[in-house]
């Protein structure tokens, strides 16, 4: 039996990029012949959005060949009140003590609440006796794994607050084969709780913030096997950093163009442009070069961070030329030479101010 596990779509409006990503995930579910499709929280970015989108969700959630399981997350915890209809074969896991039973598995959901470690642990142990040994038991969870070394930006726009924190040790004496988690956006990550027991974050299936870099993933796995990452063809951010070196015979504009070759068609590039230029030898000043770069990158870059500087006044200085000649003849390795060159440039920039 195959399960598709995703989370944190943060839907905002009908037929935008996030909505299109959900459509694509449902198509993947059909293609991969999954029997259960799990969204581990934060399907919606805000609770009121569920009211706007629910009629359209009914259409795409119905007539699928798999069961869809939804868990309330911290962004949409009030979106799943009793009696609301999200479509055929859609189950909202609103109560921890009421699992979704299907064939030889039981899927339990712990809906998000603003509670701490102790309360989460108590809730988990409240179902310990209900986790039957003859079943594959799966927990759907939305919150923060304290064992992991994450920064706050990995969880989206959440600030410093803790969100239903847990530790891997909380699950070791529970008969849970999988913890299919949500809330962590940045990367696909799996932890082994014990033999044949796994905790997994699938990452957001579409980049929500610029910190969510690289091709996005979902978790598609056969029950009884470890979680498996499944790369997606969805919008995502890529970070590219280039550095101009005025002491090399290279065209800055060509450097920019080469850096954008073979970029994924769904990538939104955050380009960082560092280093130095010699406007005298290039025949163009900082403003002119920025204008040329903007023309080249306009279709591929989400943003460009210009950090490069024109240091022609230093590069044409006779003292600097003598220094570079001696440095070139020295026995230092390239890293040391680069460090010394940068140190001298920065020192002379301070003097030339």
């Amino acid at each position: 039996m195959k399960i598709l596990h995703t989370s944190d779509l943060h839907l905002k409006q009908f037929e935008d990029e996030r909505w299109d990503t959900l459509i694509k995930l449902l198509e993947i579910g059909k293609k991969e012949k999954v029997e259960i499709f799990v969204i581990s929280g934060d399907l919606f970015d805000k609770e009121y959005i569920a009211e706007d989108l629910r009629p359209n969700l009914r259409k795409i959630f119905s007539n699928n060949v798999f069961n869809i399981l939804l868990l309330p997350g911290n962004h949409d915890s009030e979106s799943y009140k009793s009696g609301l209809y999200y479509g055929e074969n859609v189950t909202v896991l609103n109560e921890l003590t009421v699992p979704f039973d299907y064939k030889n598995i039981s899927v339990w959901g712990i809906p998000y609440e603003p509670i701490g470690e102790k309360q989460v642990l108590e809730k988990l142990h409240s179902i310990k006796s209900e986790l039957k040994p003859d079943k594959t038991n799966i927990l759907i969870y939305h919150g923060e794994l304290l064992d992991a070394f994450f920064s706050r930006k990995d969880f989206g726009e959440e600030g410093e607050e803790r969100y239903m924190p847990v530790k891997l040790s909380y699950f070791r004496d529970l008969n849970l084969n999988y913890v299919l988690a949500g809330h962590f956006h940045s990367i696909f990550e799996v932890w082994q709780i014990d033999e044949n027991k796994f905790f997994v974050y699938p990452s957001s299936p579409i980049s929500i913030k610029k910190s969510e870099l690289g091709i996005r993933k979902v978790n598609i796995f056969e029950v009884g096997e470890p979680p498996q990452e499944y790369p997606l063809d969805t919008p995502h951010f890529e970070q590219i950093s280039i550095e101009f070196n005025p002491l090399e015979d290279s065209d800055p504009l060509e450097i920019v163009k080469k850096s954008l070759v073979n970029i994924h068609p769904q990538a939104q590039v955050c380009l960082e442009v560092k280093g130095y230029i010699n406007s005298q030898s290039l025949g163009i000043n900082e403003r002119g070069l920025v204008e040329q770069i903007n023309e080249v990158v306009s279709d591929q870059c989400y943003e460009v961070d210009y950090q490069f500087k024109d240091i022609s006044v230093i590069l044409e200085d006779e003292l600097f030329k003598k220094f570079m000649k001696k440095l070139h003849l020295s026995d230092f390795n390239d890293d040391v030479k680069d460090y010394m060159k940068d140190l001298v440039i920065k020192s002379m920039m301070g003097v030339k101010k």
Side-chain angles (χ1 to χ4, degrees):
M1 181 194 309
K2 264 188 183 179
I3 294 177
L4 186 152
H5 161 221
T6 188
S7 69
D8 297 283
L9 278 106
H10 289 267
L11 295 179
K12 283 192 169 183
Q13 57 187 337
F14 180 57
E15 293 187 331
D16 67 357
E17 286 185 332
R18 299 183 190 183
W19 181 271
D20 292 343
T21 295
L22 177 57
I23 298 290
K24 189 166 291 188
L25 294 182
L26 293 169
E27 291 171 351
I28 290 170
K30 295 172 187 174
K31 174 187 170 186
E32 293 296 321
K33 296 181 171 60
V34 305
E35 294 185 49
I36 296 178
F37 185 106
V38 173
I39 301 179
S40 297
D42 286 355
L43 172 60
F44 305 104
D45 192 60
K46 296 281 189 276
E47 290 157 355
Y48 71 87
I49 294 171
E51 289 299 308
D52 296 335
L53 294 182
R54 192 164 62 253
N56 290 306
L57 280 171
R58 290 171 186 155
K59 296 175 185 177
I60 64 171
F61 278 171
S62 298
N63 302 316
N64 289 300
V65 294
F66 42 76
N67 295 282
I68 297 175
L69 306 185
L70 306 178
L71 182 77
N74 60 294
H75 276 257
D76 56 8
S77 59
E78 298 299 319
S79 300
Y80 305 98
K81 294 174 183 176
S82 178
L84 295 180
Y85 177 63
Y86 277 91
E88 296 174 18
N89 299 322
V90 177
T91 300
V92 177
L93 298 173
N94 255 332
E95 295 182 45
L96 176 59
T97 56
V98 181
F100 172 80
D101 289 313
Y102 179 79
K103 295 184 178 181
N104 66 330
I105 70 169
S106 290
V107 183
W108 308 76
I110 179 167
Y112 177 80
E113 296 178 73
I115 58 176
E117 281 183 77
K118 183 179 178 181
Q119 294 96 322
V120 177
L121 184 59
E122 289 172 353
K123 282 182 173 290
L124 291 174
H125 279 266
S126 72
I127 61 168
K128 184 175 182 178
S129 62
E130 304 299 320
L131 300 172
K132 305 303 182 186
D134 60 337
K135 291 266 194 178
T136 296
N137 290 289
I138 299 172
L139 178 72
I140 313 302
Y141 159 78
H142 189 90
E144 185 174 351
L145 180 64
L146 296 177
D147 302 70
F149 295 99
F150 301 138
S151 68
R152 305 314 304 160
K153 67 181 181 180
D154 292 321
F155 296 99
E157 299 173 350
E158 307 297 7
E160 297 300 320
E161 184 178 345
R162 294 290 190 189
Y163 290 82
M164 276 184 64
V166 297
K167 296 177 182 176
L168 292 176
S169 60
Y170 294 177
F171 305 106
R172 289 204 173 99
D173 63 343
L174 299 176
N175 183 33
L176 289 169
N177 303 89
Y178 301 93
V179 180
L180 305 183
H183 190 59
F184 174 61
H185 288 204
S186 292
I187 60 173
F188 182 99
E189 190 106 31
V190 179
W191 291 263
Q192 189 157 350
I193 300 168
D194 212 334
E195 186 176 0
N196 299 319
K197 296 171 70 173
F198 304 94
F199 183 110
V200 54
Y201 282 121
S203 81
S204 56
I206 176 174
S207 291
I208 306 300
K209 292 182 63 184
K210 290 186 293 182
S211 57
E212 298 163 34
L213 298 172
I215 290 174
R216 313 316 295 154
K217 314 281 180 65
V218 291
N219 173 27
I220 301 180
F221 66 101
E222 290 276 359
V223 173
E225 299 295 326
Q228 296 292 324
E229 61 181 52
Y230 185 103
L232 299 173
D233 182 21
T234 56
H236 59 274
F237 290 106
E238 294 281 0
Q239 178 73 51
I240 295 177
S241 181
I242 60 175
E243 187 166 353
F244 298 149
N245 185 348
L247 302 176
E248 294 179 356
D249 187 19
S250 54
D251 179 358
L253 206 57
E254 286 302 313
I255 294 173
V256 172
K257 290 178 181 178
K258 287 179 181 178
S259 74
L260 299 175
V261 172
N262 299 324
I263 291 296
H264 191 284
Q266 293 273 26
Q268 300 179 73
V269 176
C270 298
L271 180 64
E272 183 182 54
V273 185
K274 301 189 294 184
Y276 307 107
I277 65 165
N278 184 343
S279 61
Q280 289 190 29
S281 61
L282 289 176
I284 189 170
N285 59 23
E286 287 183 355
R287 180 180 294 276
L289 182 56
V290 166
E291 290 173 354
Q292 288 187 2
I293 293 173
N294 285 340
E295 289 181 13
V296 169
V297 307
S298 59
D299 294 333
Q300 290 178 282
C301 287
Y302 176 79
E303 66 177 19
V304 184
D305 180 12
Y306 290 109
Q307 297 184 24
F308 75 90
K309 297 177 182 178
D310 176 18
I311 56 169
S312 55
V313 67
I314 294 171
L315 298 175
E316 299 301 323
D317 187 284
E318 289 302 318
L319 182 61
F320 181 78
K321 290 179 179 180
K322 290 179 181 178
F323 165 76
M324 288 303 300
K325 186 174 181 180
K326 289 186 178 180
L327 187 63
H328 177 71
L329 296 173
S330 71
D331 295 329
F332 297 119
N333 63 45
D334 289 343
D335 287 341
V336 172
K337 287 181 179 179
D338 286 342
Y339 173 77
M340 294 177 70
K341 176 196 69 180
D342 288 342
L343 193 63
V344 169
I345 288 173
K346 289 174 183 176
S347 298
M348 292 186 71
M349 285 173 64
V351 173
K352 295 282 185 180
K353 283 182 180 179

